[in-house]
Amino acid sequence: MYHIDFNKPIRVHFIGIGGISMSALAEILLERGFEISGSDIKKSALTDRLSDKGVRIRIGQTAENIESGIDLIVYTAAISKDNPEFEAAEKSGIPMLTRAELLGEIMSNYSVAIGVSGTHGKTTTTSMLTEIMVAAGLDPTVTVGGILPSINGNLRIGGSANFITEACEYTNSFLSFLPTVEIILNVQEDHLDFFKDINDIRNSFRLYANLLPENGLLVINGDIDDYEYISGGVKCPVITVGKTENCDYYAADICYNETGCCSYTPVCRGISGERVELGVPGIHNVYNSLAAIAVADWLGCERGDISSALKNFGGTERRFQKKGVVRGFTVIDDYAHHPTEIDTTLNSAANYPHRRIVCVFQPHTYTRTAAFLKDFAKSLSHADTVILADIYAARERNTIGISSEALKDEIDKLGTECIYEPDFENIQKIIINMCGEGDLVITMGAGNIVEVGEALLKNY
């Protein structure tokens, strides 16, 4: 594998530079004096930000984008092998790295490199830990898979030896990382277009955990089935967080406020700490924050800084994000695209002020929809009404004959009102005619369903 000499900046070209992670990595290299160019299939706020910083962005991916003078090419897992720019890159003989390999190279420059992993909760936990470390004066460099308002985007470039990033298991990308500290939040079935089954996924997390050095730290959810299979063989200290007193860190006396945000007393090895009030709703965020606290304690952060940071953290974009109020009903947007995440989001909604809950769901990828069809139906049935958009294809083609109509059939069997409507404008009209004072409308999914709520706020 090609290794970068960070003391000798070169020209790096990114195929898919507009991705949430790719844009952050491009900006990190730019700040270190590298010359950056890149391409993407469409303009976005992230490509505009890079353009404003002097990065040459080309919209559209063509063979002509691979030109002389490029020293290194970086590409994402989303780039297909028949992409003309990727094909030209392979033929060019120019060294190539995946996004994950580049991230691993960057992590090697930091003495404390924190990778936050898990099937769910990575963005929120990474953001919580970022807020804590900034409040504690640790000045971290951060890449996060969402837009965090306090850092004005998905990237923070710090001046210390501390680095934080999300670590995604898809295509085993996190096995290219070089973490010194890891958080493993949960391990569940997902990405079954790549993994064979849950055992394949668990093995991947075990390999990830075993990347840690002896002077590192593993924080793992002690409620994961047989979590010691994953942590087995790790040479560094292991800290468990979870729901019971069997874990090193657990939460006592959990209470909800009027907006569904929890407060609790963190207990570490039998010793109660300063009470924590969260600024984001949902019981799942109790356990996300416990993992962040465990790492923060290890780093030596003051509990006062930890508590104030968690209280002030209001969430990232697309994670139970309040978008506004239209004709008396509240519009929330959430990135949930897995049955467990839907359960979590609708549980949060149940503790949020509402008359009834209308969930506007856009399934994400054909393989995930097919693999969890009945689970999706069961999770969505917790809403009072479900409106289904078409499946967002992302990186896939529909070779398995799955559809949102099939999901509607399963929801109908459970007795929950369900409407299938492929057209976003028609979905807006349905919502306007259906919803009134006190209702809660949640646009949900990892695709572009957020546009429905934004259009409602703009047009009505």
Side-chain angles (χ1 to χ4, degrees):
M1 187 181 83
Y2 180 87
H3 292 286
I4 298 172
D5 183 346
F6 287 89
N7 295 314
K8 297 178 180 178
I10 57 176
R11 179 179 171 191
V12 184
H13 181 79
F14 288 75
I15 306 176
I17 198 168
I20 194 81
S21 177
M22 287 280 274
S23 63
L25 300 183
E27 194 166 334
I28 288 173
L29 292 186
L30 187 69
E31 290 290 324
R32 297 192 71 134
F34 287 67
E35 182 184 351
I36 306 299
S37 62
S39 67
D40 217 300
I41 57 174
K42 62 180 180 180
K43 277 186 67 174
S44 67
L46 294 173
T47 59
D48 287 344
R49 175 185 169 110
L50 289 170
S51 291
D52 290 344
K53 290 179 174 288
V55 175
R56 184 170 58 177
I57 304 289
R58 289 181 173 172
I59 302 304
Q61 291 171 336
T62 65
E64 289 72 30
N65 291 342
I66 305 302
E67 57 192 17
S68 62
I70 295 173
D71 300 301
L72 174 66
I73 295 167
V74 180
Y75 63 96
T76 71
I79 301 297
S80 63
K81 300 300 181 185
D82 60 356
N83 178 290
E85 191 166 332
F86 182 84
E87 287 182 335
E90 283 197 307
K91 291 175 183 176
S92 70
I94 299 169
M96 298 177 69
L97 291 177
T98 65
R99 177 202 65 86
E101 288 168 343
L102 173 60
L103 183 47
E105 295 260 311
I106 290 172
M107 291 174 83
S108 69
N109 288 280
Y110 296 85
S111 57
V112 176
I114 304 167
V116 181
S117 69
T119 313
H120 323 291
K122 293 184 290 294
T123 297
T124 296
T125 306
T126 301
S127 299
M128 286 177 167
L129 189 53
T130 296
E131 300 282 8
I132 292 169
M133 291 178 70
V134 170
L138 296 181
D139 194 19
T141 293
V142 182
T143 73
V144 62
I147 303 301
L148 178 57
S150 66
I151 64 172
N152 244 359
N154 60 325
L155 171 71
R156 180 186 193 273
I157 297 179
S160 73
N162 300 311
F163 184 85
I164 316 171
T165 187
E166 292 184 35
C168 181
E169 74 276 17
Y170 183 56
T171 68
N172 283 331
S173 62
F174 62 2
L175 299 186
S176 296
F177 292 4
L178 292 171
T180 63
V181 177
E182 292 178 3
I183 294 174
I184 299 179
L185 296 164
N186 36 64
V187 179
Q188 294 185 330
E189 282 188 313
D190 198 10
H191 301 303
L192 294 177
D193 58 326
F194 176 77
F195 293 109
K196 297 174 186 175
D197 52 29
I198 185 61
N199 291 327
D200 192 18
I201 296 168
R202 285 170 58 83
N203 181 62
S204 185
F205 276 92
R206 178 185 171 91
L207 294 172
Y208 175 62
N210 277 273
L211 295 175
L212 287 165
E214 289 184 13
N215 64 343
L217 176 72
L218 173 61
V219 174
I220 188 168
N221 181 352
D223 299 323
I224 294 171
D225 289 342
D226 188 18
Y227 79 86
E228 290 176 322
Y229 167 79
I230 295 167
S231 62
V234 170
K235 299 180 180 64
C236 65
V238 177
I239 294 174
T240 58
V241 300
K243 298 177 181 177
T244 70
E245 296 177 14
N246 295 326
C247 295
D248 296 317
Y249 282 72
Y250 69 93
D253 305 321
I254 300 172
C255 300
Y256 288 90
N257 69 11
E258 66 280 359
T259 59
C261 298
C262 292
S263 61
Y264 66 92
T265 301
V267 183
C268 174
R269 299 186 179 95
I271 300 173
S272 297
E274 181 178 329
R275 193 160 178 83
V276 171
E277 296 179 42
L278 298 179
V280 285
I283 187 113
H284 62 294
N285 280 318
V286 169
Y287 304 105
N288 289 337
S289 64
L290 270 178
I293 290 171
V295 173
D297 282 349
W298 184 80
L299 290 169
C301 300
E302 297 288 339
R303 277 299 177 96
D305 290 330
I306 294 171
S307 296
S308 63
L310 290 173
K311 184 175 182 178
N312 293 331
F313 172 61
T316 55
E317 288 188 10
R318 303 222 62 205
R319 271 69 177 180
F320 209 85
Q321 180 189 9
K322 182 178 178 179
K323 303 290 285 187
V325 178
V326 182
R327 297 190 180 182
F329 62 84
T330 300
V331 178
I332 300 283
D333 182 60
D334 196 273
Y335 194 70
H337 55 283
H338 183 281
T340 300
E341 295 168 350
I342 296 168
D343 276 335
T344 298
T345 299
L346 293 180
N347 178 66
S348 298
N351 290 285
Y352 193 91
H354 69 279
R355 184 171 70 98
R356 64 179 176 162
I357 298 169
V358 177
C359 181
V360 185
F361 182 62
Q362 181 185 46
H364 188 262
T365 73
Y366 303 111
T367 53
R368 183 182 285 118
T369 306
F372 301 114
L373 189 67
K374 292 184 182 297
D375 294 322
F376 274 123
K378 185 177 178 181
S379 297
L380 289 164
S381 68
H382 297 310
D384 296 296
T385 300
V386 179
I387 302 173
L388 291 176
D390 275 333
I391 297 169
Y392 189 84
R395 55 189 173 265
E396 295 183 344
R397 295 185 179 91
N398 190 5
T399 59
I400 51 180
I402 192 67
S403 66
S404 288
E405 290 99 316
L407 180 54
K408 172 178 163 47
D409 290 343
E410 295 296 328
I411 296 172
D412 287 341
K413 291 175 188 176
L414 297 174
T416 298
E417 181 181 25
C418 184
I419 301 164
Y420 164 65
E421 176 50 64
D423 184 83
F424 279 14
E425 288 190 13
N426 288 340
I427 290 175
Q428 294 172 47
K429 293 172 184 176
I430 290 168
I431 292 169
I432 286 296
N433 291 330
M434 175 188 296
C435 296
E437 189 72 34
D439 287 337
L440 191 62
V441 174
I442 306 175
T443 57
M444 184 184 291
N448 62 340
I449 195 67
V450 61
E451 295 171 5
V452 170
E454 290 174 345
L456 284 169
L457 291 165
K458 179 181 178 181
N459 297 331
Y460 294 93

Coordinates of all heavy atoms in Angstrom, one line a residue, residues 116-123 125 167 169 174 183-190 198 201-202 205-206 208 218-225 227 230 241 243 284-285 287-288 291 338 340-341 344:
V116 N -14.9 5.8 16.6 CA -16.2 5.5 17.2 C -17.0 4.6 16.2 O -17.3 5.0 15.1 CB -17.0 6.8 17.5 CG1 -18.3 6.5 18.1 CG2 -16.2 7.7 18.4
S117 N -17.2 3.4 16.7 CA -17.8 2.4 15.8 C -19.1 1.8 16.4 O -19.4 2.1 17.5 CB -16.9 1.2 15.5 OG -16.7 0.4 16.7
G118 N -19.8 1.1 15.6 CA -21.1 0.5 16.0 C -22.1 0.6 14.9 O -22.0 1.4 14.0
T119 N -23.1 -0.3 14.9 CA -24.1 -0.3 13.9 C -24.9 1.0 13.9 O -25.4 1.5 12.9 CB -25.1 -1.5 14.0 OG1 -24.3 -2.7 14.2 CG2 -26.0 -1.7 12.8
H120 N -25.2 1.5 15.1 CA -25.9 2.7 15.3 C -25.2 3.7 16.3 O -24.5 3.2 17.2 CB -27.3 2.4 15.9 CG -27.9 1.2 15.3 ND1 -28.4 1.0 14.0 CD2 -28.2 0.0 15.9 CE1 -28.9 -0.2 13.8 NE2 -28.7 -0.8 15.0
G121 N -25.5 5.0 16.1 CA -25.1 6.0 17.1 C -23.7 6.6 16.9 O -23.3 7.4 17.8
K122 N -23.0 6.2 15.8 CA -21.7 6.7 15.7 C -21.6 8.3 15.6 O -20.7 8.9 16.2 CB -21.1 6.1 14.4 CG -20.8 4.6 14.4 CD -20.2 4.1 13.2 CE -21.0 4.2 11.9 NZ -22.2 3.2 12.0
T123 N -22.5 8.9 14.8 CA -22.4 10.3 14.6 C -22.7 11.0 15.9 O -22.0 12.0 16.2 CB -23.4 10.7 13.5 OG1 -23.0 10.1 12.2 CG2 -23.4 12.2 13.3
T125 N -22.4 10.0 19.0 CA -21.4 9.8 20.1 C -20.1 10.5 19.7 O -19.5 11.1 20.6 CB -21.1 8.3 20.2 OG1 -22.4 7.6 20.5 CG2 -20.2 8.0 21.4
A167 N -16.0 5.3 12.7 CA -15.3 4.1 12.1 C -16.4 3.2 11.7 O -17.0 2.5 12.5 CB -14.4 3.5 13.2
E169 N -18.1 0.0 9.7 CA -17.7 -1.4 9.4 C -18.0 -1.8 7.9 O -17.4 -2.8 7.5 CB -18.5 -2.4 10.3 CG -19.9 -2.6 10.0 CD -20.9 -1.5 10.6 OE1 -20.4 -0.4 11.0 OE2 -22.1 -1.8 10.7
F174 N -13.1 0.0 8.4 CA -12.4 0.4 9.6 C -11.2 -0.5 10.0 O -10.4 -0.1 10.8 CB -13.4 0.5 10.8 CG -14.1 -0.8 11.3 CD1 -13.9 -2.0 10.7 CD2 -15.0 -0.7 12.3 CE1 -14.6 -3.1 11.1 CE2 -15.7 -1.9 12.8 CZ -15.4 -3.1 12.1
I183 N -14.4 3.0 20.5 CA -15.7 2.8 21.1 C -16.5 1.9 20.2 O -16.5 2.1 19.0 CB -16.5 4.2 21.3 CG1 -15.8 5.1 22.3 CG2 -17.9 3.9 21.7 CD1 -16.4 6.5 22.4
I184 N -17.0 0.8 20.8 CA -17.9 -0.1 20.0 C -19.3 0.0 20.7 O -19.5 -0.5 21.8 CB -17.4 -1.5 20.0 CG1 -16.0 -1.6 19.3 CG2 -18.4 -2.4 19.3 CD1 -15.4 -3.0 19.3
L185 N -20.2 0.7 20.1 CA -21.5 1.0 20.6 C -22.5 -0.2 20.6 O -23.3 -0.4 21.6 CB -22.2 2.2 19.9 CG -21.4 3.5 20.0 CD1 -21.9 4.5 19.0 CD2 -21.6 4.1 21.4
N186 N -22.5 -0.9 19.5 CA -23.5 -2.0 19.3 C -23.1 -2.8 18.1 O -22.3 -2.2 17.3 CB -24.9 -1.5 19.2 CG -25.0 -0.2 18.4 OD1 -24.6 -0.1 17.3 ND2 -25.4 0.9 19.1
V187 N -23.5 -4.0 18.0 CA -23.1 -4.9 16.9 C -24.4 -5.6 16.4 O -24.8 -6.5 17.1 CB -22.0 -5.8 17.2 CG1 -21.7 -6.7 16.0 CG2 -20.8 -5.1 17.7
Q188 N -25.0 -5.2 15.3 CA -26.2 -5.8 14.8 C -26.1 -6.1 13.3 O -25.2 -5.6 12.6 CB -27.4 -4.9 15.1 CG -27.7 -4.8 16.6 CD -29.0 -4.0 16.8 OE1 -29.3 -3.1 16.1 NE2 -29.6 -4.3 17.9
E189 N -27.1 -6.9 12.8 CA -27.1 -7.1 11.4 C -27.4 -5.9 10.6 O -28.3 -5.1 10.8 CB -28.2 -8.2 11.0 CG -27.8 -9.6 11.4 CD -28.8 -10.6 10.8 OE1 -30.0 -10.4 11.1 OE2 -28.4 -11.6 10.2
D190 N -26.5 -5.6 9.6 CA -26.7 -4.5 8.6 C -25.7 -4.7 7.5 O -24.8 -5.6 7.6 CB -26.6 -3.2 9.3 CG -27.2 -2.0 8.4 OD1 -27.9 -2.4 7.5 OD2 -26.9 -0.9 8.8
I198 N -24.7 -12.2 10.8 CA -24.2 -11.5 12.0 C -22.9 -12.0 12.5 O -22.1 -11.3 13.1 CB -25.3 -11.7 13.1 CG1 -25.0 -10.8 14.4 CG2 -25.6 -13.1 13.5 CD1 -24.8 -9.4 14.2
I201 N -20.2 -10.2 10.7 CA -20.1 -8.8 11.3 C -19.4 -8.8 12.6 O -18.5 -8.0 12.9 CB -21.5 -8.2 11.4 CG1 -22.2 -8.1 10.1 CG2 -21.5 -6.9 12.2 CD1 -23.7 -7.8 10.1
R202 N -19.7 -9.8 13.5 CA -19.1 -9.8 14.8 C -17.6 -10.1 14.6 O -16.7 -9.5 15.3 CB -19.7 -10.9 15.7 CG -21.1 -10.5 16.2 CD -21.8 -11.7 16.9 NE -21.0 -12.3 17.9 CZ -21.0 -11.9 19.2 NH1 -21.6 -10.8 19.5 NH2 -20.2 -12.5 20.1
F205 N -15.8 -6.8 13.8 CA -15.6 -6.0 15.0 C -14.5 -6.5 15.9 O -13.8 -5.8 16.5 CB -16.9 -5.8 15.8 CG -17.8 -4.7 15.2 CD1 -18.8 -5.0 14.3 CD2 -17.7 -3.4 15.6 CE1 -19.6 -4.0 13.8 CE2 -18.4 -2.4 15.2 CZ -19.4 -2.7 14.2
R206 N -14.4 -7.9 15.9 CA -13.3 -8.5 16.7 C -12.0 -8.1 16.1 O -11.0 -7.7 16.8 CB -13.5 -10.0 16.7 CG -12.4 -10.7 17.4 CD -12.6 -12.2 17.3 NE -11.4 -13.0 17.8 CZ -11.3 -13.5 19.0 NH1 -12.2 -13.2 19.9 NH2 -10.2 -14.2 19.4
Y208 N -11.4 -5.5 14.3 CA -11.2 -4.0 14.6 C -10.7 -3.8 16.0 O -9.7 -3.0 16.2 CB -12.6 -3.3 14.4 CG -12.5 -1.8 14.7 CD1 -11.7 -1.0 14.0 CD2 -13.3 -1.3 15.7 CE1 -11.7 0.4 14.3 CE2 -13.3 0.0 16.0 CZ -12.5 0.9 15.4 OH -12.5 2.2 15.7
L218 N -10.2 0.3 24.9 CA -11.4 -0.2 24.3 C -12.6 0.1 25.2 O -12.6 -0.4 26.4 CB -11.4 -1.6 23.9 CG -12.7 -2.3 23.4 CD1 -13.1 -1.6 22.1 CD2 -12.6 -3.8 23.2
V219 N -13.6 0.9 24.7 CA -14.9 1.1 25.4 C -15.9 0.3 24.6 O -16.1 0.7 23.5 CB -15.2 2.6 25.6 CG1 -16.6 2.7 26.2 CG2 -14.2 3.3 26.4
I220 N -16.6 -0.6 25.2 CA -17.5 -1.5 24.5 C -18.8 -1.6 25.3 O -18.8 -1.6 26.5 CB -16.9 -2.9 24.2 CG1 -17.8 -3.7 23.3 CG2 -16.5 -3.6 25.5 CD1 -17.1 -5.0 22.8
N221 N -19.9 -1.7 24.6 CA -21.2 -1.9 25.2 C -21.3 -3.3 25.8 O -21.2 -4.3 25.1 CB -22.3 -1.8 24.1 CG -23.7 -2.0 24.6 OD1 -23.9 -2.4 25.8 ND2 -24.7 -1.7 23.8
G222 N -21.3 -3.4 27.1 CA -21.4 -4.7 27.8 C -22.6 -5.5 27.6 O -22.7 -6.6 28.0
D223 N -23.6 -4.8 27.0 CA -24.9 -5.5 26.7 C -24.9 -6.3 25.4 O -25.8 -7.0 25.0 CB -26.1 -4.6 26.8 CG -26.2 -3.9 28.1 OD1 -26.0 -4.6 29.1 OD2 -26.5 -2.7 28.2
I224 N -23.8 -6.1 24.6 CA -23.7 -6.9 23.3 C -23.6 -8.4 23.7 O -22.9 -8.7 24.6 CB -22.4 -6.4 22.6 CG1 -22.5 -5.0 22.1 CG2 -22.2 -7.4 21.4 CD1 -21.3 -4.4 21.5
D225 N -24.3 -9.2 23.0 CA -24.3 -10.6 23.2 C -22.8 -11.1 23.2 O -22.1 -10.9 22.2 CB -25.1 -11.4 22.2 CG -26.6 -11.2 22.4 OD1 -27.0 -10.8 23.5 OD2 -27.4 -11.5 21.5
Y227 N -20.0 -10.1 24.4 CA -19.1 -9.1 24.0 C -17.6 -9.5 24.1 O -16.8 -8.9 23.4 CB -19.4 -7.8 24.8 CG -18.8 -7.8 26.2 CD1 -17.5 -7.3 26.4 CD2 -19.5 -8.2 27.3 CE1 -16.9 -7.3 27.6 CE2 -19.0 -8.2 28.5 CZ -17.6 -7.7 28.7 OH -17.1 -7.8 30.0
I230 N -15.7 -10.3 21.1 CA -15.2 -9.2 20.3 C -13.9 -8.6 21.0 O -12.9 -8.3 20.4 CB -16.3 -8.1 20.2 CG1 -17.4 -8.7 19.3 CG2 -15.7 -6.8 19.5 CD1 -18.7 -7.8 19.3
V241 N -19.7 -0.3 29.1 CA -20.8 0.6 29.4 C -22.1 -0.1 29.1 O -22.1 -0.9 28.2 CB -20.7 1.9 28.7 CG1 -19.4 2.6 29.0 CG2 -20.8 1.7 27.2
K243 N -26.5 -1.1 30.5 CA -27.7 -0.9 31.2 C -27.7 -1.5 32.7 O -28.6 -1.2 33.4 CB -28.9 -1.5 30.5 CG -29.1 -0.8 29.1 CD -30.2 -1.5 28.3 CE -30.4 -0.9 26.9 NZ -31.4 -1.5 26.1
H284 N -31.7 6.1 24.2 CA -30.5 5.6 23.5 C -29.3 6.6 23.7 O -28.1 6.1 23.8 CB -30.7 5.4 22.0 CG -31.1 6.6 21.3 ND1 -32.3 7.3 21.5 CD2 -30.4 7.3 20.3 CE1 -32.3 8.4 20.7 NE2 -31.2 8.4 20.0
N285 N -29.6 7.9 23.9 CA -28.5 8.8 24.0 C -27.9 8.8 25.4 O -26.8 9.3 25.6 CB -29.0 10.2 23.7 CG -29.0 10.5 22.2 OD1 -28.1 10.1 21.5 ND2 -30.1 11.1 21.7
Y287 N -26.9 6.0 26.7 CA -25.8 5.0 26.5 C -24.8 5.5 25.6 O -23.6 5.2 25.7 CB -26.4 3.7 26.1 CG -27.4 3.3 27.2 CD1 -28.8 3.3 26.9 CD2 -27.0 2.9 28.5 CE1 -29.7 3.0 27.9 CE2 -28.0 2.6 29.4 CZ -29.3 2.7 29.1 OH -30.2 2.4 30.1
N288 N -25.2 6.3 24.6 CA -24.2 7.0 23.7 C -23.3 7.9 24.6 O -22.1 7.9 24.5 CB -24.9 7.8 22.6 CG -25.5 7.0 21.6 OD1 -25.1 5.8 21.3 ND2 -26.5 7.6 20.9
A291 N -20.7 6.2 26.9 CA -19.5 5.8 26.2 C -18.6 7.0 26.0 O -17.3 6.8 26.2 CB -19.9 5.2 24.8
H338 N -32.6 1.8 9.6 CA -32.5 0.4 10.1 C -33.6 0.2 11.1 O -33.9 1.1 11.8 CB -31.1 0.1 10.7 CG -30.8 -1.3 11.2 ND1 -31.4 -1.8 12.3 CD2 -30.1 -2.3 10.6 CE1 -30.9 -3.0 12.5 NE2 -30.2 -3.4 11.5
T340 N -33.8 -1.1 14.0 CA -33.5 -0.7 15.4 C -33.4 0.8 15.5 O -33.9 1.4 16.5 CB -32.1 -1.3 15.8 OG1 -32.1 -2.7 15.7 CG2 -31.7 -0.9 17.2
E341 N -32.9 1.5 14.5 CA -32.9 3.0 14.6 C -34.3 3.5 14.5 O -34.6 4.5 15.2 CB -32.1 3.5 13.4 CG -30.6 3.1 13.5 CD -29.8 3.4 12.2 OE1 -30.4 3.7 11.2 OE2 -28.6 3.2 12.3
T344 N -35.8 3.2 17.9 CA -35.2 4.2 18.8 C -35.8 5.6 18.5 O -36.2 6.3 19.5 CB -33.7 4.3 18.5 OG1 -33.1 3.0 18.9 CG2 -33.0 5.3 19.4

